[in-house]
Amino acid sequence: MKIAFIGLGNMGGPMALNLLKAGHTLSAFDLSADACRKFAAEGLPIAGSAAETVADAEVVVSMLPASAHVEGLFLGGAGKPGLLENIKAGTLVIDSSTIAAATSRKVAEAAAAKGVAMIDAPVSGGTGGAIAGTLTFMIGGDTKDLERARPVLEKMGANIFHAGAAGAGQTAKICNNMLLGILMIGTSEALALGVANGLDPKVLSEIMRRSSGGNWALEKYNPMPGVMETSPASKNYAGGFGTDLMLKDLGLAQENATAVRAATPLGGLARSLYAAHSLAGHGALDFSSVLKLVQKAS
Ligand code: NAD
């Protein structure tokens, strides 16, 4: 299949490489010349612009930071045309960015008006899952469009869930990330408390992992440096899932909670804690660096 892939960041780059390895014909682009160079060196064919990538594409995959980037790319703005002007009718667009459900629906409606099918397909599983091709996809859109997308999604992920109509994938994703943001802070607090009492963080992590406090952070993404070789904490919190991206997702969850009058007190507190952490200059670090907020300064 001919696939255009736009957005070669921490997630998009490895996802595009998995599609290439599966034998698809790729044409990829990122606004960052560094990102393009990095993945060109790994064999990914890079186009000169987003418009160039979609010229013969049967499927377009986008993996961008936030709502404004997705809306700007597909719909344009400030006098610039959107990519929908260049995408042929009959093409399928899979947007895997985590963005507002309302923006997903707006872009999907504009696409449908041009005969272009679109699904929202945000992911979970982190950069490890993107590299291993074991992501979980949460899909919003028509069943027939999901079935068209499935052979592509299967090369990047291990679990594919149909959450509902357009935008529903995004709603499922912000529920999940609100929970993740909260549990990373709770895990950090528990580890910092144990260490302040002289416990070895590796031993404490193993005790909690196998006890009732066990969770995804302790399994796969320990926030304490040196406990888990593969986690961003052991790489000075580089790469991974940025604090500012977590802050964006918690903001989306709070906007949504306000709209439907849901009570999300811990989600609200978590958003404020990540905001304080970002204001302290840690916005670009992996979100597990939120441990710094509760850890004794060394
Ligand atoms: P990132 O910041 O590493 O990458 C985003 C890339 O998009 C950047 O390279 C940027 O240059 C590029 N970009 C922005 N606007 C563009 C445009 N108009 N055209 C082309 N390229 C453009 O972000 P990421 O960590 O890869 O995350 C991407 C999305 O996936 C976000 O919505 C994030 O919330 C979500 N997500 C991330 C993770 C994770 O662990 N990093 C996990 C699940 C979901």
Side-chain angles (χ1 to χ4, degrees):
M1 218 180 266
K2 289 184 178 166
I3 302 176
F5 203 110
I6 301 165
L8 305 173
N10 291 328
M11 296 294 286
M15 290 164 71
L17 284 178
N18 280 333
L19 293 177
L20 187 71
K21 277 184 215 142
H24 293 296
T25 303
L26 269 281
S27 176
F29 179 71
D30 193 294
L31 284 179
S32 150
D34 281 352
C36 290
R37 262 193 300 276
K38 179 174 168 196
F39 289 100
E42 300 208 37
L44 203 59
I46 304 291
S49 67
E52 240 178 65
T53 63
V54 302
D56 314 305
E58 295 157 83
V59 172
V60 178
V61 185
S62 48
M63 191 49 161
L64 307 183
S67 300
H69 304 89
V70 174
E71 192 168 337
L73 175 72
F74 289 104
L75 305 187
K80 281 170 79 182
L83 198 61
L84 282 178
E85 301 292 326
N86 306 88
I87 299 176
K88 290 191 305 277
T91 306
L92 172 68
V93 176
I94 301 172
D95 178 41
S96 280
S97 327
T98 304
I99 63 170
T103 307
S104 275
R105 283 192 288 269
K106 181 177 171 184
V107 178
E109 276 166 24
K114 295 201 169 277
V116 172
M118 181 161 185
I119 59 171
D120 42 299
V123 301
S124 179
T127 46
I131 294 165
T134 56
L135 293 169
T136 293
F137 283 93
M138 308 168 204
I139 309 299
D142 286 351
T143 306
K144 66 174 187 335
D145 297 329
L146 164 56
E147 291 317 316
R148 264 180 82 192
R150 194 178 288 279
V152 177
L153 301 176
E154 279 173 348
K155 299 293 180 247
M156 301 184 283
N159 304 296
I160 300 168
F161 292 103
H162 192 187
Q170 298 295 353
T171 304
K173 171 67 184 170
I174 58 160
C175 293
N176 179 76
N177 272 26
M178 185 177 78
L179 179 58
L180 172 63
I182 293 166
L183 77 78
M184 187 57 83
I185 293 169
T187 303
S188 297
E189 280 183 20
L191 285 169
L193 178 64
V195 168
N197 280 279
L199 295 193
D200 178 336
K202 277 194 183 168
V203 174
L204 177 59
S205 292
E206 193 55 13
I207 291 170
M208 295 195 296
R209 190 175 77 85
R210 290 170 182 265
S211 304
S212 45
N215 68 60
W216 185 83
L218 289 170
E219 286 289 340
K220 302 219 162 120
Y221 217 94
N222 198 295
M224 186 72 77
V227 171
M228 198 174 268
E229 209 181 302
T230 52
S231 76
S234 297
K235 299 168 193 159
N236 294 320
Y237 300 105
F241 180 45
T243 293
D244 281 344
L245 288 178
M246 174 54 88
L247 182 56
K248 168 205 56 154
D249 291 359
L250 290 168
L252 291 173
Q254 290 310 291
E255 281 166 26
N256 186 282
T258 304
V260 300
R261 303 188 69 214
T264 52
L266 292 184
L269 179 56
R271 200 210 71 84
S272 291
L273 290 171
Y274 285 100
H277 187 50
S278 177
L279 285 174
H282 304 307
L285 297 185
D286 179 76
F287 80 112
S288 63
S289 64
V290 75
L291 173 85
K292 290 176 187 285
L293 272 186
V294 292
Q295 193 183 33
K296 191 175 166 205
S298 52

